[in-house]
Amino acid sequence: MSDDLKLTDTFRKIFLAGVGAVALGAEKSKAAIDSLVEKGELTVEQGKVLNQELKHKVDDAVADAKAKAKEKTAAKADSEKPSAALKGDDFSEMLNSLTPEQLAALKEQLAAKDTSADKTSADKSAAAETPDD
């Protein structure tokens, strides 16, 4: 009977060791799963933060590009306009910047203005020569 008791005790120990191994495995796997979930959540949060930072950087870069484009457009528009603040008789810079078509149009306008000035001057001279009755 002693042998039966030893055999039963051995089977019991083997059975309990198996149950203990399963319990230990469950505890370790639960701890490993919890650790993986925690790391996954941390990674997702870091990804969200990085995504927000990247979005802000892109928005800033787009705003800077728009501002630079607006400045270049304004500068180009200003450079294409004739200078409104010419000093004295220095028209040479403005005249040099005119295209041949613009120069021809300016000549026509000056000729028309010169003709109207001559006509106005002649009318005043005729009025001055006419005696008042």
Side-chain angles (χ1 to χ4, degrees), residues 71-131:
E71 288 174 9
K72 285 183 180 180
T73 303
K76 185 176 181 182
D78 287 343
S79 70
E80 290 176 355
K81 291 180 185 176
S83 177
L86 293 175
K87 296 179 182 176
D89 293 331
D90 187 16
F91 294 103
S92 62
E93 184 178 331
M94 182 189 72
L95 292 175
N96 289 336
S97 68
L98 294 177
T99 64
E101 294 84 14
Q102 292 172 330
L103 194 55
L106 179 61
K107 286 178 183 179
E108 289 175 12
Q109 288 178 354
L110 288 173
K113 189 155 186 96
D114 193 31
T115 303
S116 70
D118 287 344
K119 184 178 179 184
T120 305
S121 178
D123 290 344
K124 286 183 181 179
S125 294
E129 291 177 5
T130 308

Side-chain angles (χ1 to χ4, degrees), residues 19-80:
V19 170
V22 169
L24 182 63
E27 287 177 10
K28 293 289 182 179
S29 65
K30 183 180 182 321
I33 290 172
D34 289 344
S35 174
L36 291 173
V37 167
E38 184 179 325
K39 286 182 182 182
E41 288 174 350
L42 181 62
T43 302
V44 168
E45 289 301 319
Q46 288 175 344
K48 286 180 182 178
V49 169
L50 289 174
N51 191 22
Q52 289 296 325
E53 288 177 11
L54 182 61
K55 183 179 176 185
H56 288 300
K57 286 181 181 179
V58 168
D59 289 344
D60 290 345
V62 168
D64 288 344
K66 284 182 180 178
K68 286 180 183 178
K70 189 179 260 188
E71 288 174 9
K72 285 183 180 180
T73 303
K76 185 176 181 182
D78 287 343
S79 70
E80 290 176 355

